[in-house]
Every structure is written in structure tokens, then in C-alpha cells.
């Protein structure tokens, strides 16, 4: 009986994700954003852009807080991730030419994680204390920051 109980126990990372996802769900509901929880743990988030379109993100949150989430641009119709047609472009460096969100709270911004990650100077293990993280240490803060960028004049369309 103890073995069965142990196998169904959640990890600390799972519990953190569950709590943060619930908060994000409340904010998404208030903002009218599309949000769906996925296995992994993870989520799919649809956000409005300045041009009236919607951009989608598929977010992998495994080992969340030990490492930042991986924010992929996503096409919910095809399931494709990180294609140029689904990836925003913009000025200011936030929407990086590599197609990655350039922020320490995005696992895909680290060259040590993905070949085209823009930063080899950041360490994944200290993402929460990186000064460029600012206040984006929760899923809700990260989603709000992306929404602000998509609504700003720095968003200039899609890469393709």
C-alpha cells in the first residue's frame, strides 16, 4: 500500500506548477486569453497581438523553478512548434531574431539548452536571480510580459 501511495505522490515541481497554473487560469479568464493545461506539466496559451491576430505558446514546465519553462511559439491547428509563420518579430531584442523569447525565464534562450539559444552568457541554474528576469518568476508574470510585448509597438508582425 505504501508503494501505491508513493507512486501517486506529486513532486514539489508539480505542486508549484499546479498552484501557479491556477493563478494564471484566473488571470487568463479575466483577460479573455485562451488557456489549456497539458501533460508534462505544461500549458498552451493564446494571446492577442497588436495587429488583431492571436499568437499561441506551448509551454513546457517540467522541473519548474529548478529551471525556467520552455516557451515555444505554437500552431494549435497543426501542433507545430517554433515555425516562422507562428513566431513574432519585433524591435527591442525581446522577440529575438532566432525566434526565441529573449528572457532568462525562457529555457529556450539558453545556448546550453538549444543550439540557437541567444545566450551563452546566462546560467540556467540561476535564472531566478538573473537581473534580466526582473519580476518574471511566476507563470502569470511571464504571460503578462509576453502579452504586453505583443500589444506594444515593438511587435511588428510575424517572421514569415
Amino acid at each position: 500500500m505504501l508503494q501505491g501511495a508513493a507512486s501517486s505522490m506529486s513532486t514539489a515541481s508539480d505542486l508549484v506548477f499546479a498552484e501557479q497554473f491556477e493563478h494564471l487560469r484566473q488571470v487568463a479568464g479575466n483577460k479573455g486569453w485562451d488557456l489549456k493545461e497539458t501533460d508534462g506539466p505544461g500549458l498552451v496559451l493564446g494571446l492577442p497581438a497588436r495587429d488583431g491576430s492571436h499568437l499561441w505558446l506551448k509551454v513546457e514546465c517540467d522541473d519548474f523553478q529548478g529551471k525556467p519553462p520552455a516557451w515555444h511559439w505554437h500552431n494549435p491547428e497543426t501542433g507545430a512548434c517554433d515555425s516562422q509563420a507562428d513566431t513574432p518579430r519585433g524591435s527591442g531584442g525581446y522577440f529575438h531574431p532566432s525566434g526565441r523569447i529573449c528572457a532568462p525565464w525562457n529555457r529556450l534562450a539558453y545556448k546550453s539548452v538549444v543550439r540557437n539559444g541567444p545566450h551563452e552568457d546566462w546560467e540556467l541554474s540561476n535564472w531566478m536571480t538573473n537581473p534580466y528576469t526582473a519580476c518574471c518568476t511566476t507563470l502569470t508574470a511571464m504571460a503578462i510580459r509576453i502579452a504586453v510585448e505583443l500589444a506594444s509597438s515593438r511587435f511588428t508582425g510575424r517572421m514569415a
Side-chain angles (χ1 to χ4, degrees):
M1 190 153 169
L2 287 176
Q3 286 180 336
S7 65
S8 66
M9 289 178 55
S10 297
T11 66
S13 179
D14 292 338
L15 296 172
V16 168
F17 172 79
E19 180 180 345
Q20 290 205 14
F21 182 83
E22 177 56 26
H23 186 252
L24 177 58
R25 187 189 62 72
Q26 292 173 16
V27 170
N30 289 336
K31 297 279 189 187
W33 298 343
D34 294 296
L35 178 66
K36 179 182 138 193
E37 186 171 358
T38 62
D39 293 334
L43 59 101
V44 172
L45 176 65
L47 297 171
R50 184 171 67 104
D51 64 1
S53 69
H54 274 72
L55 282 100
W56 294 83
L57 296 121
K58 185 173 185 177
V59 187
E60 300 166 4
C61 298
D62 54 302
D63 196 22
F64 179 53
Q65 291 204 313
K67 59 185 176 185
W71 293 82
H72 294 274
W73 297 107
H74 177 65
N75 183 320
E77 293 176 19
T78 66
C81 283
D82 301 322
S83 73
Q84 288 194 340
D86 304 311
T87 301
R89 64 180 151 82
S91 60
Y94 185 76
F95 298 127
H96 195 270
S98 68
R100 306 297 182 194
I101 294 172
C102 187
W105 45 265
N106 179 19
R107 190 182 325 160
L108 305 177
Y110 293 82
K111 196 169 206 80
S112 63
V113 175
V114 291
R115 188 184 64 223
N116 67 340
H119 283 279
E120 57 187 85
D121 56 326
W122 291 347
E123 289 186 39
L124 193 61
S125 62
N126 71 352
W127 74 272
M128 290 184 94
T129 59
N130 183 316
Y132 294 107
T133 297
C135 295
C136 290
T137 58
T138 66
L139 293 173
T140 300
M142 295 170 199
I144 289 171
R145 176 60 199 266
I146 295 167
V148 165
E149 292 296 325
L150 289 172
S152 79
S153 61
R154 291 180 295 278
F155 168 74
T156 59
R158 297 180 190 235
M159 293 184 96

